[in-house]
Amino acid sequence: MSTRPAINDPKFDDLERIGSFEGAALRSERVRIICMMVVLVVLGVHGVLRVFDPVFGTTTVGWILVCVTSTYLVIEAAMLAHVQRLILADRAIKRSVLMGLAVVECLMPTLVLLLVYRMVEINPRVVLVSPGFSIYLMLMLLAVLRLEPMLSVVVGATACVGYGYTVVTVLSGSGKFIDDGIPPVIFPTQLLVLVLGAASCVYVTHRVRRYVVLAVREAEARRQRERLERDLQMAHQIQQRLLPDEMPRVPGYEIAAFNRPADQTGGDYYDWQSLADNRLMFSVADVTGHGIGPALITAACQAYVRVMAMESASVERVLERVNELLVKDLSDGRFVTLALLEYDFAQHAGRLLSAGHGPTFLITGGDGRMKSIAAQGLPLGIAAGVPMDQPIAIALEVGDVIAMFSDGFFEWVGPEGKQFGLSRLSAVITEHRHASAQQIIEAMDQAITQFAAGLSQPDDMTALLIKRVG
């Protein structure tokens, strides 16, 4: 029977969709607008309390807060709806819109301060040190969520200019100096705080933007890796399904096969087909390299052999036609080694022809003598019109074993830098020649695995054994 990995449908957990940087910026902008609306609601509630309960302050100030916050709430609500539509449509927001909104928002505290200065009968200098000053800093902090350093610059500059203009307006129109206990140095100090706050926000925005960009790139790389792994897993399943589900059962014979690629996809395969007159054709092939490219070539080569074998039972003709097709398909540097064995189980004899694939071992069951059959021709896909040598006649007596395998079975390098080699491989087969064909393959695999001492498999491994048992 054939030995190959069991195939299960893989389950992949979807990576949380972060999207592009533009998508991340839109979602961050949505969060910023929601935070802004919360701030406006708090200010509006404070204004309502001022209107209906003078204990909280001047009624006129309350009306100013209610009117200004209500106006800005409408603007922010409209902007939130626009951002939500852009997220659903997977589109980016225009930078000019963000710039305009940033300027409009930063004018709010300036507008409140100037309205209070003009409409409320209080000491004008008190207006400059009122809690409204903190709104500038809050707007700068929220500007970080825009993930755009230039927008933070705009917000900071607008805040500094707005507060500076308010200071100049109030101090120039307040008449003579009022002894209210407010030191004059407090006003330039607050302006300096705004400048430093703006600079800090620009720096933080730059750092946050860099982090988000890196996070988006990493998420995209992870999605691509998972997509590639899914594709490779699917290719592995398809390639494994192309291998025979089971080997033929012939009275008096044991037939076993083995295939283990070095990667998820490989460049080796084995196959068999029924011919007329109780004959079978066995094939073992090895494409240069391993991975997706060789796997595709392997599938094409296997299909060519199957079709050609249906048209002609001659191993020479099959290899000639397959070579012609592969020469047209393969790029420079690619080639395929292929061994075909046409075997008549009624006559206990067959014909072996190898295009660059070898050697093939023939072990006699009685005395354990081993005959190494070298390749009879060039690999396929190198040049068209290359004549094939005559096939080698094969006759199996009871106990004899014929072993066809790829170079992955003897070129595996161990910890000491030496290959497993053909001599060790032939010794394993000879030693276990009295075991079943399946057990011989298992002994080959176990011996190589022990020799490798934990080193990763460097090349695809494929083997096909036929043993006459009676």
Side-chain angles (χ1 to χ4, degrees), residues 258-281:
F258 174 91
N259 174 265
R260 185 171 65 219
D263 296 330
Q264 286 182 293
T265 56
D268 288 5
Y269 86 89
Y270 65 86
D271 201 5
W272 66 273
Q273 289 174 272
S274 297
L275 303 178
D277 303 327
N278 200 34
R279 293 175 301 148
L280 295 177
M281 181 176 289

Side-chain angles (χ1 to χ4, degrees), residues 29 92 134 139 233 263 377 380 417 447 465:
E29 176 66 13
S134 63
L139 290 174
Q233 183 66 22
D263 296 330
L380 305 179
L465 265 70

Side-chain angles (χ1 to χ4, degrees), residues 280-303:
L280 295 177
M281 181 176 289
F282 299 92
S283 59
V284 174
D286 184 2
V287 180
T288 51
H290 47 84
I292 288 293
L296 295 174
I297 299 173
T298 298
C301 181
Q302 184 177 12

